Amino acid sequence: MAKQNFELFDDRVLVKPNAAEEKTAGGIIIPDTAKEKPQKGTVVAVGKGKYAEQTGNLIPLQIKEGDTVMYGKYGGTEISIEGEDYLIMRASDILMKIS
């Protein structure tokens, strides 16, 4: 992704979804209409974090750029930047980080 001038607010995260599977484990080719939405991707950018309601302290995010993450099937908002597809979602929509 070319460097863009944008800033994610609060606990928002920009994720580049992995490509949908083209074949099953058995080698059967999956048609476009039957492909599952990917639930795994790479974090491209993160916001500064969320402010605690009671104290007002900034709580930084536990994930960072470059992390591979799993997220809910219908999580995030799909956007396109320079022809590339991304998801913007809250950090709480991310289910886990994969090492």
Side-chain angles (χ1 to χ4, degrees):
M1 177 168 112
K3 191 66 176 170
Q4 292 262 327
N5 289 328
F6 64 85
E7 180 180 352
L8 295 171
F9 293 117
D10 301 325
D11 63 339
R12 300 289 197 295
V13 178
L14 184 67
V15 176
K16 173 74 175 153
N18 289 0
E21 293 293 325
E22 299 286 329
K23 292 182 181 181
T24 65
I28 298 171
I29 297 174
I30 302 170
D32 288 340
T33 56
K35 288 181 184 172
E36 292 273 334
K37 287 178 71 173
Q39 293 175 266
K40 184 176 172 183
T42 303
V43 176
V44 176
V46 297
K48 294 179 182 176
K50 190 171 184 175
Y51 288 95
E53 289 183 26
Q54 294 179 349
T55 64
N57 295 336
L58 181 65
I59 302 169
L61 299 180
Q62 294 177 304
I63 55 176
K64 62 186 181 318
E65 291 179 20
D67 285 347
T68 300
V69 295
M70 295 284 296
Y71 48 87
K73 188 177 243 182
Y74 301 105
T77 300
E78 296 176 355
I79 64 165
S80 181
I81 301 173
E82 294 184 357
E84 295 283 331
D85 293 330
Y86 297 93
L87 291 171
I88 293 180
M89 62 183 67
R90 291 190 177 277
S92 60
D93 291 336
I94 294 175
L95 305 175
M96 69 178 168
K97 178 175 134 178
I98 302 170
S99 300

